Amino acid sequence: MLKFKFLLWVLTKLLQRAIRNNPECAKYVRGKRLIFQIRTIGGVGRYFTIENGAVNSVAGITKTPNFTMSFRDAARGFATLSAKDGKEAFLAALHKEDLTISGDFVEVMWFQGLTEYLQPSKKQEH
């Protein structure tokens, strides 16, 4: 469970760094207001606020998120969130019902776009 909690805290730091260091990412979040949470079914989690071009998070659960990602347990959440093949891992977790997503799916898709800025840049070689 500690690895899951730590990973959620690190996600905040990675998003903050992406916004700070990547002008395209900063532009992507500019003007956006979003509250979402990543948690376990048992209630362990963290909620994230994107507002005024910044990302912040707080340990715990909020009652009013725009969307929630709920993992069956901390171990499955950690495995999915830290997988090298992120999209495939998410799809597999959804298929196995290790992950459920509730709330505004338009915002979920927006967040998916934000996570693209966490990927190493793919520079094409000629």
Side-chain angles (χ1 to χ4, degrees):
M1 179 158 348
L2 286 176
K3 289 195 297 186
F4 180 67
K5 288 180 175 182
F6 181 71
L7 185 63
L8 295 181
W9 177 81
V10 168
L11 176 60
T12 306
K13 299 302 179 191
L14 291 172
L15 289 169
Q16 289 170 340
R17 184 175 68 188
I19 291 167
R20 187 173 56 249
N21 295 335
N22 184 332
E24 288 298 313
C25 184
K27 182 178 175 185
Y28 190 78
V29 300
R30 189 175 305 128
K32 186 70 173 175
R33 175 147 177 25
L34 174 67
I35 299 172
F36 67 96
Q37 61 191 355
I38 303 173
R39 60 173 291 178
T40 65
I41 292 171
V44 172
R46 191 165 196 91
Y47 66 94
F48 301 77
T49 303
I50 299 174
E51 189 172 27
N52 299 322
V55 176
N56 292 296
S57 72
V58 176
I61 304 301
T62 182
K63 293 182 180 172
T64 57
N66 296 94
F67 71 86
T68 299
M69 290 193 270
S70 299
F71 289 95
R72 184 180 307 269
D73 56 41
R76 293 170 215 231
F78 180 82
T80 302
L81 292 171
S82 62
K84 297 263 186 254
D85 58 344
K87 287 183 183 177
E88 291 81 8
F90 266 86
L91 292 174
L94 285 166
H95 182 72
K96 291 190 252 178
E97 297 182 0
D98 287 339
L99 168 63
T100 56
I101 300 175
S102 59
D104 186 337
F105 277 86
V106 171
E107 297 294 13
V108 174
M109 297 307 293
W110 182 90
F111 176 70
Q112 183 80 30
L114 177 60
T115 63
E116 294 295 317
Y117 291 102
L118 300 178
Q119 306 300 319
S121 62
K122 295 174 181 141
K123 295 183 180 174
Q124 295 184 357
E125 296 180 20
H126 297 279

